[in-house]
Amino acid sequence: MSIAAAHVGPGEQQLPSGGGDEKPKRGWTGYILLMPGALWLLVFFVIPTITLVSTSLYDPSGSIITGYEMTFAWQNYVDGITGYGAQLVRSFLYAGTATIACILLGYPLAYAIAFKSGRWKNLMLVLVIAPFFTSFLVRTLSWQLLLSDNGWAVDVLRALNILGPDGHLLATPVAVVTGLTYNFLPFMVLPLYASLEKIDPRLQEAGNDLYASPLTTFRKVTLPLSMPGLVAGTLLTFIPSAGDYINAELLGTPNTRMVGNEIQDLFAAGNYPIAAALSVTLMVVIVSMVFVYVRRAGTEELL
């Protein structure tokens, strides 16, 4: 009998020799559970992305009838950026403005739901997600009525002398940004609420006990703890806003067109290479901005 076995008492299980060197065997369960999601990403993300990139390099002189030839035409990207650079810049400007507006409106709302709503919390959350029960297109069309020259919004602004007698809201950049803000506001509120709701109220009370002002407590305690929700809400708002074309189409004019409108028209006209090049350019710029923003916000773990 070995020395190790001699010291094993009754009722105790003897460990196998060299147990520290043995690693637990991993089964196939985890990989099997990952397969449906991986297959979904492969079919509906990886393959379409590869197809889009390859389409952006086709010869733009082709057509749907005659077909397109792969010529690795990198000039398509130059033509897309130079021809539609104004729409690209306008898209990011409108998306950034709408995102800031969503933060200013969504943060107080999420804070109120998380800490001040009491027994009305569930009702307020339902009201936040209630617009999703209506089509995105119908919601945007409804803003045509609200912002029309005969609508109450214009009448109120004219009565307050904010708008002149001939002033209007519809078919302006203000209308486009308003539509973007309204349609994507829930994407800001819900992640913020999820982060704020996890904050222990005793941490805020501790700040008050240490004679910190409400503003200092918010800046030192609440805001840092809610940063994951703020970053997630910003991304969920900015990314779809930058690629949106419905709000600019229904609430704007040809002077407020965004890059999504141009991509949609190019695909509809059969100009696939330039449309694909614009799409890839938009994706690359957005991904680059996301990485920079996440790193500056100090929330790299979200990636």
Side-chain angles (χ1 to χ4, degrees), residues 88-103:
L88 274 169
V89 174
R90 189 180 299 127
S91 297
F92 294 125
L93 178 62
Y94 288 175
T97 305
T99 302
I100 294 173
C102 285
I103 293 174

Side-chain angles (χ1 to χ4, degrees), residues 35 144 176 193 201 252:
M35 285 181 60
Q144 288 186 342
V176 177
Y193 165 76

Side-chain angles (χ1 to χ4, degrees), residues 47 85 97 102 116 120 137 140 150 217 250 268 279:
I47 294 178
T97 305
C102 285
K116 307 296 183 181
W120 301 104
L137 182 61
T140 306
N150 298 324
T217 301
L250 299 179
S279 301

Side-chain angles (χ1 to χ4, degrees), residues 45-58 70 72-74 76-77 267 272-273 275-277 279-281 283-284:
F45 177 74
V46 177
I47 294 178
T49 301
I50 295 175
T51 303
L52 184 68
V53 174
S54 63
T55 303
S56 69
L57 300 176
Y58 286 162
M70 171 57 75
F72 294 97
W74 297 100
N76 292 338
Y77 288 90
F267 272 116
Y272 291 170
S279 301
V280 174
T281 301
M283 288 192 299
V284 170

Side-chain angles (χ1 to χ4, degrees), residues 155-166:
D155 292 338
V156 171
L157 293 177
R158 286 175 178 172
L160 297 175
N161 293 323
I162 298 177
L163 280 179
D166 298 330

Side-chain angles (χ1 to χ4, degrees), residues 254-267:
N255 294 327
T256 61
R257 288 173 64 85
M258 301 170 64
V259 68
N261 301 99
E262 305 298 343
I263 293 173
Q264 194 269 341
D265 288 349
L266 287 170
F267 272 116

Side-chain angles (χ1 to χ4, degrees), residues 95 98-99 102 180 184-185 187-188 232-242:
T99 302
C102 285
L180 292 172
F184 295 109
L185 181 60
F187 293 101
M188 179 66 70
T234 301
L235 299 180
L236 290 175
T237 303
F238 178 81
I239 294 174
S241 295

Side-chain angles (χ1 to χ4, degrees), residues 2-261:
S2 64
I3 298 176
H7 289 83
V8 176
E12 296 182 358
Q13 185 177 1
Q14 181 178 354
L15 295 176
S17 59
D21 297 333
E22 295 184 1
K23 296 182 179 179
K25 295 182 179 180
R26 296 182 179 180
W28 291 93
T29 305
Y31 297 102
I32 294 175
L33 294 176
L34 287 174
M35 285 181 60
L39 182 62
W40 177 276
L41 290 175
L42 176 65
V43 175
F44 294 103
F45 177 74
V46 177
I47 294 178
T49 301
I50 295 175
T51 303
L52 184 68
V53 174
S54 63
T55 303
S56 69
L57 300 176
Y58 286 162
D59 185 358
S61 61
S63 66
I64 301 177
I65 298 175
T66 60
Y68 293 97
E69 182 181 356
M70 171 57 75
T71 59
F72 294 97
W74 297 100
Q75 184 65 28
N76 292 338
Y77 288 90
V78 178
D79 295 340
I81 294 174
T82 56
Y84 303 97
Q87 289 83 349
L88 274 169
V89 174
R90 189 180 299 127
S91 297
F92 294 125
L93 178 62
Y94 288 175
T97 305
T99 302
I100 294 173
C102 285
I103 293 174
L104 297 177
L105 295 173
Y107 203 107
L109 178 57
Y111 186 93
I113 296 175
F115 298 116
K116 307 296 183 181
S117 58
R119 60 192 181 95
W120 301 104
K121 179 180 296 186
N122 292 334
L123 176 61
M124 295 181 69
L125 287 174
V126 170
L127 293 177
V128 169
I129 65 175
F132 289 123
F133 292 97
T134 307
S135 169
F136 186 94
L137 182 61
V138 173
R139 282 182 280 147
T140 306
L141 284 171
S142 65
W143 277 97
Q144 288 186 342
L145 300 176
L146 294 174
L147 300 178
S148 65
D149 293 342
N150 298 324
W152 63 268
V154 173
D155 292 338
V156 171
L157 293 177
R158 286 175 178 172
L160 297 175
N161 293 323
I162 298 177
L163 280 179
D166 298 330
H168 59 276
L169 292 176
L170 192 62
T172 63
V174 174
V176 177
V177 173
T178 300
L180 292 172
T181 303
Y182 166 75
N183 282 304
F184 295 109
L185 181 60
F187 293 101
M188 179 66 70
V189 174
L190 295 178
L192 278 172
Y193 165 76
S195 290
L196 290 169
E197 198 268 340
K198 296 178 181 179
I199 298 177
D200 192 340
R202 292 176 295 182
L203 296 176
Q204 297 173 323
E205 295 175 0
N208 297 329
D209 294 339
L210 294 173
Y211 302 102
S213 64
L215 180 60
T216 302
T217 301
F218 171 79
R219 185 168 56 89
K220 295 291 188 179
V221 178
T222 306
L223 183 60
L225 292 177
S226 64
M227 278 303 295
L230 181 60
V231 172
T234 301
L235 299 180
L236 290 175
T237 303
F238 178 81
I239 294 174
S241 295
D244 181 76
Y245 67 93
I246 293 179
N247 288 276
E249 184 72 25
L250 299 179
L251 303 178
T253 65
N255 294 327
T256 61
R257 288 173 64 85
M258 301 170 64
V259 68
N261 301 99

